[in-house]
Amino acid sequence: MEKQPIRPSDKPSDNPVVVRFAPSPTGYLHIGGARTAIFNWLYARQTGGKFILRIEDTDAERSTPDSIRGIVEGMKWLGLDWDEGPNFQSRAIGDHQAAAEKLLASGHAYRCFCTKEELDQKREQAVQARQTYIYDGKCRDLLPDQVAENEARGMTSAIRLKVPREQGSLVFEDAVYGSVEKQFRDLEDFIIVRSNGNPLYILSNAVDDIRDRVTHIIRGQDGLANTPKQILLYRALGAPLPVFAHMSLTLDPKKAKISKRRHGEMVAIHYYREKGFLPWAFVNFLVLLGWATTGSREIFSREELIRSFNLKGISRTNSVFNITPGDAGFATDPKALSINAHYLRTMDVEELAVYIRPLLEKEGLWDKAYEADSRQRFLDTINLIRSRFHLITDFTTLGRAYFSDEFPMDPAGLEKHLAARPELAAPLEALGREIRAMETFGEKEVEAKLRELLKELGIKPGILINAVRMALTGQAVGPDFMKSLVILGQDRVADRLSKAAKHFP
Ligand code: GLU
């Protein structure tokens, strides 16, 4: 039984680490791809190695410029900087063909003149006999004269790799899945170059990795099935084997694989950007899908994650991303939201402002004064209201009243705290008039005014506070009440209370 030399997994080798993210540009940068990119990036940053971005665009029909742009933009947004690339696989076809010629010359590959019809027929026979079809190696032992003769007759040929014929299996050590074994008899002499001269993806992928001296191949689980063939290519080309680390799948709550067909745009990284996630928060969340360190720690700064990441922590168990296909609204993973909220609430407020400004501009809510006199008020506002928010977009939805006089009223809150209490209509208007007349508008002064009014009305403070909050912000809940009044400012508070009557039937 032949066993391949097993390379210890995740062992620091003498060579500097080289990793790559090698997406096929046929769609969005999606959750799974981004996670692969992040793991590679972390590994490179931790080891001081090189991170290459390679676009595997040899499938000309399915690769699109839009997809390439999306991948590059998505990587930039996530903050995953690469050291080389984007390298385009399609520009290296010459290297792939040269490798195939080398394999022919060294006797590791051979020309196969079998026609499509012939192969189809054999495949059909295998199906009839209920056997797995495997190429029978008809052209494997053609003599040089026969090859020359076929070529002289104008017959075209594909190139196939010679898979060892011996009994036994190929065994390799995956850094995540452990020992993986493949019987030689289950591997056919696979095609590496089509009869039209086009290299097959399996060859291109291995040749690029060998040329780029990639030391660790960290990729999705779907690559595991190809790995034995790739190892045979490495061997035949006399190249040292890299460490392979395959990552488990990410599933939806119904345990279905996350896919564009099933989940539409919800698979795409740009979707989460638009929904208001902070890039690092999203990276932090994605890392937890299939990687864990000791303990149940969930929040990692960039530096902490680079320090603590290791291939051993990659889980073999599939992870679950809590998205619901076809959900028109936005109900996403509670953990993703809570991690985002954590960053939103704790990050430096100036840094947060950088994300909020474009959002306000887009909605026509950016006030030039926020760059000048009102700078501090703008920062104080976002600092105050962020305490209840989960997403950046909450600033212009739930927090709209702080930036505009036009804001939506939460229907349930409107009904409960205003419409159902018509007796408050007149007092709210009166309060508005009094607030307008105040000389000093501070927390203490406003509180005194409210106390006066409460005494007069003889109602519970909560009832008045909820009604005022509703009229001022359109929301039944919010940050510290007095602080929010002061932040809104005397004019806005007075105006909104004076017009409170419109909220009553
Ligand atoms: N282009 C492949 C994909 O997008 C990557 C395979 C690999 O990383 O080796 O699935």
Side-chain angles (χ1 to χ4, degrees):
M1 176 133 148
E2 187 191 320
K3 301 258 178 195
Q4 296 289 310
I6 297 175
R7 249 183 84 136
S9 54
D10 199 10
K11 169 181 164 276
S13 78
D14 302 335
N15 301 329
V17 164
V18 179
V19 289
R20 80 319 190 255
F21 173 48
S24 305
T26 56
Y28 306 125
L29 176 61
H30 53 81
I31 301 285
R35 194 182 55 151
T36 303
I38 292 167
F39 285 11
N40 278 287
W41 174 81
L42 281 172
Y43 199 61
R45 294 297 167 258
Q46 177 180 82
T47 54
K50 179 158 81 167
F51 178 40
I52 301 175
L53 173 59
R54 180 168 78 221
I55 305 289
E56 300 208 309
D57 59 343
T58 41
D59 185 342
E61 271 168 34
R62 295 181 61 224
S63 302
T64 69
D66 268 358
S67 172
I68 296 171
R69 207 173 306 119
I71 290 165
V72 167
E73 274 173 17
M75 298 272 293
K76 285 188 179 160
W77 179 69
L78 291 168
L80 308 177
D81 53 333
W82 55 91
D83 308 305
E84 188 186 306
N87 295 341
F88 292 91
Q89 186 160 67
S90 59
R91 293 186 199 157
I93 285 182
D95 291 355
H96 314 150
Q97 285 163 335
E101 290 300 329
K102 188 178 156 195
L103 291 170
L104 280 174
S106 64
H108 287 96
Y110 60 91
R111 292 199 176 277
C112 170
F113 296 90
C114 295
T115 62
K116 184 176 178 304
E117 292 69 29
E118 205 177 340
L119 295 174
D120 283 348
Q121 201 188 352
K122 287 183 183 169
R123 192 172 290 115
E124 184 54 33
Q125 279 165 3
V127 172
Q128 298 292 336
R130 293 175 189 274
Q131 283 166 351
T132 318
Y133 169 75
I134 283 213
Y135 175 65
D136 59 9
K138 183 181 167 209
C139 298
R140 183 172 164 125
D141 298 315
L142 289 181
L143 298 168
D145 284 355
Q146 294 170 297
V147 171
E149 199 180 305
N150 285 345
E151 284 183 335
R153 283 165 52 200
M155 287 171 74
T156 57
S157 58
I159 301 175
R160 288 182 187 268
L161 191 84
K162 268 187 191 163
V163 171
R165 274 276 172 85
E166 61 260 47
Q167 291 285 312
S169 54
L170 181 142
V171 180
F172 68 95
E173 190 72 8
D174 185 89
V176 177
Y177 285 90
S179 186
V180 179
E181 185 164 1
K182 183 86 185 170
Q183 299 291 327
F184 285 123
R185 64 164 184 270
D186 294 336
L187 284 167
E188 67 173 4
D189 288 350
F190 57 93
I191 296 180
I192 53 174
V193 177
R194 285 198 185 83
S195 56
N196 63 8
N198 284 342
L200 264 92
Y201 170 71
I202 189 139
L203 176 69
S204 304
N205 178 271
V207 170
D208 283 359
D209 283 336
I210 293 169
R211 182 203 54 219
D212 295 342
R213 296 176 196 282
V214 172
T215 56
H216 293 71
I217 295 188
I218 307 170
R219 63 183 173 195
Q221 195 212 39
D222 43 355
L224 199 53
N226 273 338
T227 309
K229 292 183 184 171
Q230 284 174 328
I231 290 178
L232 291 175
L233 280 167
Y234 271 83
R235 284 214 327 183
L237 288 164
L241 281 189
V243 170
F244 289 94
H246 288 88
M247 294 162 11
S248 55
L249 300 172
T250 300
L251 307 174
D252 79 359
K254 289 198 173 136
K255 304 283 147 77
K257 201 178 158 186
I258 294 195
S259 69
K260 188 174 168 188
R261 185 176 53 80
R262 209 177 268 119
H263 303 87
E265 260 204 315
M266 283 179 140
V267 300
I269 291 304
H270 70 78
Y271 180 81
Y272 298 90
R273 177 185 188 167
E274 283 152 26
K275 287 295 170 189
F277 280 90
L278 292 158
W280 183 258
F282 206 60
V283 169
N284 188 154
F285 166 69
L286 287 177
V287 166
L288 301 180
L289 290 177
W291 179 81
T293 177
T294 42
S296 52
R297 180 131 182 242
E298 294 197 330
I299 301 289
F300 293 89
S301 71
R302 190 176 183 280
E303 290 65 34
E304 286 168 331
L305 202 52
I306 288 173
R307 212 179 319 117
S308 22
F309 181 75
N310 53 21
L311 298 181
K312 283 189 206 77
I314 301 180
S315 160
R316 292 183 205 186
T317 330
N318 295 331
S319 52
V320 174
F321 183 29
N322 232 317
I323 53 173
T324 315
D327 190 346
F330 178 58
T332 195
D333 199 289
K335 191 190 271 184
L337 285 174
S338 84
I339 291 178
N340 203 59
H342 168 84
Y343 284 100
L344 201 91
R345 290 166 201 177
T346 54
M347 74 197 286
D348 178 69
V349 74
E350 292 272 5
E351 209 185 308
L352 177 60
V354 174
Y355 291 97
I356 298 186
R357 177 177 177 161
L359 201 67
L360 291 175
E361 283 173 337
K362 195 171 123 211
E363 304 262 328
L365 302 177
W366 181 252
D367 183 345
K368 276 259 173 251
Y370 294 156
E371 288 158 64
D373 297 358
S374 301
R375 178 82 192 154
Q376 197 52 48
R377 190 165 61 82
F378 168 61
L379 295 177
D380 289 346
T381 303
I382 58 179
N383 190 33
L384 177 73
I385 63 181
R386 67 173 164 171
S387 66
R388 306 191 71 92
F389 292 169
H390 289 85
L391 296 165
I392 300 180
T393 40
D394 288 343
F395 286 87
T396 52
T397 54
L398 302 174
R400 198 173 189 88
Y402 291 88
F403 304 104
S404 167
D405 289 326
E406 268 155 48
F407 53 89
M409 301 293 285
D410 167 58
L414 176 64
E415 175 54 34
K416 183 168 170 206
H417 301 302
L418 291 173
R421 300 200 166 271
E423 71 278 12
L424 291 179
L428 288 183
E429 268 197 280
L431 181 65
R433 273 196 301 281
E434 289 192 40
I435 284 184
R436 198 183 301 284
M438 284 170 75
E439 261 170 42
T440 318
F441 182 74
E443 282 181 48
K444 261 200 265 129
E445 291 78 5
V446 179
E447 199 177 333
K449 272 270 169 286
L450 283 168
R451 274 189 203 291
E452 258 174 49
L453 187 64
L454 280 171
K455 224 164 151 192
E456 211 175 282
L457 294 173
I459 57 166
K460 285 201 196 116
I463 290 177
L464 182 66
I465 286 175
N466 286 336
V468 173
R469 196 196 284 287
M470 242 357 262
L472 294 180
T473 67
Q475 297 293 319
V477 288
D480 183 278
F481 180 68
M482 289 303 164
K483 288 196 168 61
S484 59
L485 257 69
V486 172
I487 280 280
L488 280 166
Q490 187 168 10
D491 290 344
R492 273 187 167 154
V493 171
D495 286 349
R496 290 176 194 180
L497 288 174
S498 307
K499 291 180 197 141
K502 69 177 179 202
H503 301 305
F504 296 91

